[in-house]
């Protein structure tokens, strides 16, 4: 089964075919580095990291590029408030962003490109747009793109008007624009603002132009996939198409546009002013494993919105804990378990191999992660309290490898085998139980929990152990 993806540009689910197979070039709008990343960022980047993993699973040779907006109004303002310079502030929060992404296991990005490292490429694009009469200069203000020179404006979003909820830069505001929706390519510098020299006047780049300058530098004028949150479709992504297609006359800039849905908190829009704003760091500090946050975000389809509540997150945390304990079954010592008969051995192993296949097929269906997780749940529920022989354990390990590759949950890494001492204690305890020496059995159980973080449960098939929460 081939990969199928919903393309915002065509408003249809399409069979994915890269422009230059097996290579795939994917760009995703990265962070503006002036503060810690929040749960909305976690949603977007986990879901797009999963897309990257699924592309690799389909044997594509993926180049995943993210820009990092390190020069912007918000950064300049925040740096002034904190009496530091914009470069220092940007460097700090770029680093924090990378830490958060690593903790969530978003490891697929090939290159991060900081806007301030691509100023020459940005200036080159602005010069071309001025030469081709798509852009004009407003004295003491900046360089603007004139929308009326691009008849296809609106083809991605289906609209041309800015609404209140649109993610926009204040930089686009100017009373002297020719068209009310013209957007800024370059802002001439005010005193005490960072600036770069350019033939059309010293200043700093607008928001939209950094993406096209960076993608042209890495990929050329056209590439396969552009991803980002749904609130960036207009005007940001529309502006990218407008700029790059005007410069190159090559259509389309991007073959597949992929957008992720909103995240709400307790059914409300997340906002600092509403007091329902959570950074990724805060949630982790409350004791949640970042990978449980990852599982939480994958429980919903990437295009739908997610309602975050701590109750919902607790449910994902429990699900994740159960999954880890199933993952640990691949280490169960056989001393405490009896072997199954031949027929059931085959069925159990075959069903585990089939689960890995079904999981990938669900993800190939426009990244249907809720369906993929249900498939895993069904397979795992058949293993609870069951007896696994070597063949089952091998099949389970293979399934776990697939889950980790495509969903990035690190089930194998986070459930290392217990050491031989620990195994000896579990078996010793089992013998004490068989001899009805309950006091000794309880002592060994306490020792296993305190020293090794292992909880022993007595099941029908013998003693089984799991990792403490
Ligand atoms: Zn962007």
């Amino acid at each position: 089964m081939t990969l199928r993806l919903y393309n915002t540009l065509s408003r249809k689910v399409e069979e994915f075919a890269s422009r230059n197979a097996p290579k795939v070039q994917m760009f995703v709008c990265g962070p503006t580095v002036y503060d810690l990343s929040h749960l909305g960022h976690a949603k977007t980047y986990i879901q797009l990291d999963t897309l990257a993993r699924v592309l690799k699973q389909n044997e594509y040779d993926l180049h995943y590029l993210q820009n990092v907006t390190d020069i912007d109004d918000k950064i300049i303002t925040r740096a002034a408030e904190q009496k530091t310079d914009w470069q220092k502030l940007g460097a700090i929060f770029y680093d924090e962003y990378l830490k958060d992404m690593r903790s969530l296991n978003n490891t697929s990005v090939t290159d991060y490109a900081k806007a301030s490292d691509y100023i020459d490429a940005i200036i080159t694009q602005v010069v071309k747009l001025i030469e081709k009469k798509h852009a004009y200069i407003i004295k003491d203000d900046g360089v603007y793109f004139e929308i009326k020179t691009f008849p296809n404006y609106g083809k991605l979003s289906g609209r041309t008007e800015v609404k209140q909820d649109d993610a926009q830069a204040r930089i686009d505001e100017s009373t002297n624009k020719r068209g009310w929706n013209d957007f800024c390519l370059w802002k001439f510098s005010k005193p005490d603002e960072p600036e770069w020299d350019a033939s059309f006047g010293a200043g700093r780049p607008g928001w939209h132009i950094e993406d096209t300058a960076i993608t042209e530098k890495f990929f050329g004028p056209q590439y396969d996939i552009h991803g980002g949150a749904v609130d960036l479709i207009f005007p940001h992504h529309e502006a990218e198409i407008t700029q790059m297609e005007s410069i190159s006359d090559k259509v389309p800039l991007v073959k597949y546009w992929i957008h992720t849905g909103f995240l709400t908190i307790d059914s409300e829009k997340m906002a600092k002013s509403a007091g329902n704003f959570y950074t990724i760091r805060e949630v982790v500090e409350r004791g949640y494993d970042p990978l449980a946050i990852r599982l939480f975000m994958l429980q919903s389809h990437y295009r739908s919105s997610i309602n975050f509540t701590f109750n919902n997150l607790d449910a994902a945390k429990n699900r994740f804990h159960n999954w880890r304990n199933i993952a640990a079954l691949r280490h169960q010592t056989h001393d405490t378990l009896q072997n199954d008969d031949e027929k059931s051995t085959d069925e159990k192993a075959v069903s585990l191999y089939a689960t890995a296949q079904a999981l990938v097929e669900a993800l190939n269906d426009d990244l249907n992660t809720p369906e993929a997780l249900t498939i895993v749940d069904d397979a795992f529920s058949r293993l609870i309290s069951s007896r696994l022989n070597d063949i089952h354990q091998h099949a389970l390990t293979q399934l776990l490898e697939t889950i980790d590759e495509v969903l990035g949950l690190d089930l194998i890494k986070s459930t290392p085998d217990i050491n031989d001492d620990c195994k000896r204690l579990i078996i010793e305890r089992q013998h004490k139980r068989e001899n009805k020496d309950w006091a000794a059995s309880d002592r060994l159980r306490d020792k296993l929990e305190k020293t090794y973080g292992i909880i022993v449960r007595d099941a029908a098939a013998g003693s089984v152990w799991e990792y403490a929460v």
Side-chain angles (χ1 to χ4, degrees):
M1 188 176 157
T2 48
L3 175 61
R4 296 181 310 134
L5 292 171
Y6 180 84
N7 186 355
T8 310
L9 190 61
S10 66
R11 294 164 183 79
K12 284 198 296 254
V13 175
E14 293 179 37
E15 204 159 280
F16 178 78
S18 78
R19 300 176 60 252
N20 187 20
K23 286 191 166 64
V24 172
Q25 295 168 320
M26 174 162 99
F27 174 76
V28 167
C29 290
T32 301
V33 284
Y34 70 106
D35 207 341
L36 290 173
S37 303
H38 55 66
L39 287 177
H41 297 124
K43 179 189 189 296
T44 305
Y45 297 122
I46 288 168
Q47 290 172 332
L48 292 169
D49 179 75
T50 305
L51 171 59
R53 288 167 180 272
V54 171
L55 285 162
K56 287 181 190 167
Q57 183 72 23
N58 281 276
E59 293 179 4
Y60 285 109
D61 174 11
L62 175 68
H63 189 158
Y64 179 2
L65 174 66
Q66 243 183 52
N67 67 316
V68 175
T69 304
D70 65 341
I71 177 66
D72 163 272
D73 279 3
K74 292 191 196 98
I75 299 170
I76 296 168
T77 310
R78 185 64 60 88
E81 281 164 16
Q82 299 188 354
K83 299 195 178 8
T84 182
D85 67 77
W86 65 274
Q87 279 145 314
K88 271 192 199 143
L89 186 89
I92 289 168
F93 287 107
Y94 176 34
D95 209 41
E96 297 299 333
Y97 171 73
L98 293 178
K99 276 188 212 159
D100 283 335
M101 293 303 111
R102 275 194 298 270
S103 79
L104 297 168
N105 217 8
N106 289 338
T107 54
S108 305
V109 175
T110 317
D111 286 297
Y112 288 102
K114 286 194 292 177
S116 64
D117 289 337
Y118 293 86
I119 299 294
D120 288 348
I122 291 168
I123 290 172
T124 304
Q125 288 205 336
V126 178
V127 167
K128 274 191 204 144
L129 288 169
I130 294 171
E131 280 171 4
K132 293 184 84 171
K133 305 216 178 325
H134 286 290
Y136 60 95
I137 294 169
I138 301 177
K139 198 169 171 288
D140 298 327
D141 183 333
V143 183
Y144 287 80
F145 189 99
E146 189 170 12
I147 297 293
K148 79 163 201 260
T149 68
F150 187 74
N152 283 326
Y153 188 70
K155 69 175 171 179
L156 177 68
S157 58
R159 64 194 176 100
T160 54
E161 287 181 33
V162 178
K163 289 182 195 161
Q164 209 179 355
D165 280 351
D166 293 327
Q168 303 191 63
R170 275 181 295 141
I171 202 167
D172 290 336
E173 291 164 15
S174 170
T175 46
N176 297 317
K177 291 191 292 191
R178 288 181 191 168
W180 61 271
N181 55 0
D182 291 354
F183 57 85
C184 184
L185 299 167
W186 187 262
K187 199 80 174 170
F188 298 140
S189 49
K190 296 192 200 106
D192 300 328
E193 280 187 354
E195 63 169 34
W196 288 266
D197 281 333
S199 55
F200 41 82
R204 59 191 165 91
W207 177 28
H208 319 304
I209 195 81
E210 75 177 77
D211 292 40
T212 47
I214 286 168
T215 56
E216 188 185 16
K217 201 82 189 167
F218 279 84
F219 298 155
Q222 294 179 292
Y223 57 98
D224 297 300
I225 303 175
H226 189 317
V230 69
D231 58 332
L232 297 184
I233 295 176
F234 191 88
H236 185 49
H237 292 161
E238 200 71 69
E240 285 185 46
I241 292 174
T242 304
Q243 288 164 175
M244 197 64 230
E245 292 184 3
S246 296
I247 289 169
S248 72
D249 294 317
K250 291 198 166 75
V251 178
L253 160 65
V254 172
K255 200 170 171 190
Y256 303 92
W257 285 88
I258 308 293
H259 290 102
T260 58
F262 280 120
L263 178 121
T264 56
I265 309 272
D266 296 323
S267 306
E268 308 248 337
K269 194 177 173 187
M270 180 166 69
K272 270 186 179 153
S273 54
N276 65 354
F277 183 93
Y278 296 106
T279 63
I280 297 163
R281 209 59 67 81
E282 271 175 274
V283 177
V284 172
E285 278 163 9
R286 286 186 184 215
Y288 291 94
D289 189 315
L291 295 178
I293 300 175
R294 186 177 180 98
L295 182 63
F296 171 79
M297 298 299 179
L298 295 177
Q299 290 184 165
S300 304
H301 189 263
Y302 74 93
R303 283 193 278 128
S304 43
S305 55
I306 292 184
N307 184 36
F308 176 90
T309 67
F310 279 99
N311 279 342
N312 291 346
L313 183 59
D314 283 333
K317 179 184 166 179
N318 290 338
R319 189 182 202 178
F320 190 52
H321 179 65
N322 293 338
W323 282 26
R324 273 189 174 159
N325 283 321
I326 294 292
L329 286 177
R330 73 192 190 285
H331 304 308
Q332 289 290 8
T333 46
H334 294 306
D335 305 61
T336 58
L337 301 167
Q338 299 143 24
N339 273 332
D340 254 338
D341 61 81
E342 203 63 26
K343 185 167 171 284
S344 136
T345 295
D346 287 349
E347 280 171 6
K348 210 174 274 177
V350 166
S351 125
L352 286 168
Y353 292 128
T355 300
Q357 184 68 30
L359 165 69
V360 173
E361 281 178 13
L363 293 171
N364 277 347
D365 180 16
D366 193 29
L367 233 62
N368 192 342
T369 54
E371 171 69 13
L373 302 195
T374 303
I375 287 167
V376 174
D377 270 339
D378 288 348
F380 282 2
S381 67
R382 291 195 292 272
L383 297 182
I384 291 170
S385 303
S386 84
R387 296 169 288 178
L388 302 192
N389 63 24
D390 284 347
I391 296 167
H392 304 145
Q393 287 181 333
H394 178 74
L396 173 60
T397 305
Q398 285 215 332
L399 171 58
L400 293 169
E401 279 168 2
T402 306
I403 294 172
D404 285 350
E405 273 164 25
V406 291
L407 301 176
L409 293 169
D410 269 357
L411 291 172
I412 289 184
K413 207 162 117 193
S414 63
T415 53
D417 200 359
I418 51 174
N419 64 29
D420 288 346
D421 281 348
C422 208
K423 280 182 181 163
R424 260 197 297 279
L425 289 179
I426 291 173
I427 294 164
E428 197 184 325
R429 180 179 169 278
Q430 181 66 17
H431 292 153
K432 298 287 182 203
R433 267 179 59 79
E434 281 157 15
N435 296 327
K436 301 199 179 354
D437 184 352
W438 309 119
S441 157
D442 286 351
R443 268 200 304 281
L444 287 167
R445 173 154 57 191
D446 288 349
K447 185 170 180 185
L448 279 160
E449 185 168 356
K450 286 199 185 100
T451 317
Y452 299 101
I454 297 291
I455 294 170
V456 186
R457 282 189 294 111
D458 299 309
S463 296
V464 292
W465 58 270
E466 60 180 42
Y467 295 100
V469 179

